[in-house]
Amino acid sequence: MIQLIYVYDSVATMRKDSVACSRAIRCLLWAGLLVIILQAMNDSPVIDAGAPREERDRWLLLIHQVPPKPDYLRVKVRRRLQRLGAVALKNSVYVLPATPGRVEDFQWLAKEIEGDGGEAIVCEASFVTGIVDDELTAQFSRECDRRYAEIADEAALLSGEAGAGTLFRVKRKLADAVRLDFFQAPGRHAAEAALTEAEARVLHGKAAGGDRQTDGTLRGRTWVTRSDVFIDRMASAWLIRRFIDPDARFRFVAGDQHRPASGELRFDTFEGEFTHEGDRCTFEVLLEKMDLRDDPGLVQISEIVHDIDLKDGKFGRPETPGLELLIAGIARSEPDDERRIERGAALFDSLYAAASSPGGAG
């Protein structure tokens, strides 16, 4: 038996009127829940229906009916439910823990189902008989542990430079799994440990390859760029000292007409060795030419730098406005270019650490 607490409509308002109750009853009939609630689980212990509501967990139910045609609608709804982390209770009834964010997730999906010609209702409920809260919690944890086990298996296969491209995808999978881990499933620790070990193997392989590439070619140079540095030159200078040559020297010149002396390399200048190419800013060009595009943290930073520098909104990362404001603050408060680069480096170090974590910067 389900004790309905609230019935929500599909446009983010809560209703207790007769129309909502009628829809709830109709949806429950679709799912067979007014006949016997979870008949397959009818041996479960019974919760005291007279217990105070705060002593029983509250759950969100999405009860829906999708038209039989076209076939892809059922697949679409099922995939959306999987991405939300919902588990199937019976037939067309799916459950999530009752939290404000989850309510909105179900309401948007209910609206989509109705837009495709189906019917759906979202309600908040507690379970009186048929299933107990511990059983539902265990079901959520089993689903999470299954995801964590897949991630650990994928991570175990990563090694060396060749695994760098896959590392980003596996890290995103872990971030998604953690986002859907509502009850701290035990498998998370093993997945995180496996990914940490894989990342160490991959980065070790990439560092070895990177050293071979830059030895004798880009180290010990003076890097020349235009004065009054801003986002692209600040980020590029950080990249050079962090990944190419920690002892790199910088020289700042007026205008774009500087002719390089022996041992100098120009960046972000007209006809420079490293500068804009097509719709790519200098930072993006450096990533490409230094073979660093398999580093997901650097790729995320390159997208932010691109949007600030070129102002085309190509990537639209949420961190962009905040970083632009901080860089503008450094430029306004610090007239010395070398100091701008030093202060900007602290920002980029922090951003890189965040972007390289399992959840990424965003």
Side-chain angles (χ1 to χ4, degrees), residues 56-95:
R56 301 195 300 273
D57 288 338
R58 282 152 57 182
W59 304 90
L60 295 173
L61 306 184
L62 173 70
I63 308 166
H64 69 286
Q65 184 181 50
V66 178
K69 296 292 181 181
D71 295 333
Y72 73 84
L73 285 180
R74 293 185 182 277
V75 176
K76 170 186 170 183
V77 171
R78 185 166 61 248
R79 288 177 177 170
R80 285 292 308 279
L81 288 163
Q82 288 173 347
R83 288 198 294 271
L84 295 178
V87 300
L89 198 60
K90 182 184 179 185
N91 296 331
S92 297
V93 183
Y94 283 78
V95 188

Side-chain angles (χ1 to χ4, degrees), residues 51 68 114 161 293:
E114 292 174 351
E161 230 177 325
R293 287 200 59 82

Side-chain angles (χ1 to χ4, degrees), residues 28-217:
L28 288 166
L29 282 168
W30 294 337
L33 292 174
L34 284 187
V35 181
I36 298 177
I37 303 298
L38 297 177
Q39 187 173 21
M41 300 182 182
N42 60 9
D43 292 331
S44 301
V46 176
I47 298 174
D48 180 8
R53 265 181 49 193
E54 57 269 18
E55 295 182 10
R56 301 195 300 273
D57 288 338
R58 282 152 57 182
W59 304 90
L60 295 173
L61 306 184
L62 173 70
I63 308 166
H64 69 286
Q65 184 181 50
V66 178
K69 296 292 181 181
D71 295 333
Y72 73 84
L73 285 180
R74 293 185 182 277
V75 176
K76 170 186 170 183
V77 171
R78 185 166 61 248
R79 288 177 177 170
R80 285 292 308 279
L81 288 163
Q82 288 173 347
R83 288 198 294 271
L84 295 178
V87 300
L89 198 60
K90 182 184 179 185
N91 296 331
S92 297
V93 183
Y94 283 78
V95 188
L96 280 174
T99 63
R102 306 283 84 77
V103 171
E104 186 176 355
D105 288 340
F106 265 175
Q107 287 174 323
W108 278 111
L109 181 53
K111 187 174 181 179
E112 286 187 30
I113 291 171
E114 292 174 351
D116 288 330
E119 293 193 59
I121 194 166
V122 178
C123 60
E124 184 179 318
S126 61
F127 293 93
V128 179
T129 61
I131 188 170
V132 296
D133 296 326
D134 287 345
E135 290 175 330
L136 262 182
T137 300
Q139 188 173 347
F140 276 100
S141 293
R142 284 194 298 272
E143 283 297 308
C144 286
D145 281 338
R146 179 186 59 78
R147 298 187 193 102
Y148 287 138
E150 291 178 357
I151 291 166
D153 289 342
E154 288 189 56
L157 299 176
L158 299 179
S159 63
E161 230 177 325
T166 308
L167 178 64
F168 175 61
R169 180 177 57 81
V170 179
K171 289 172 75 171
R172 296 300 288 180
K173 285 184 67 174
L174 178 60
D176 289 339
V178 170
R179 178 176 55 84
L180 301 177
D181 187 358
F182 307 120
F183 300 104
Q184 293 76 53
R188 174 178 175 178
H189 301 296
E192 289 178 333
L195 190 54
T196 298
E197 293 174 3
E199 186 169 17
R201 293 193 301 270
V202 169
L203 293 179
H204 175 75
K206 187 175 73 174
D211 287 341
R212 289 192 300 271
Q213 182 180 2
T214 58
D215 278 349
T217 57

Side-chain angles (χ1 to χ4, degrees), residues 266-285:
R266 296 166 297 175
F267 69 100
D268 203 37
T269 63
F270 180 68
E271 294 185 345
E273 286 73 24
F274 301 96
T275 191
H276 288 220
E277 293 183 4
D279 68 344
R280 294 181 299 165
C281 65
T282 300
F283 189 91
E284 292 175 289
V285 171

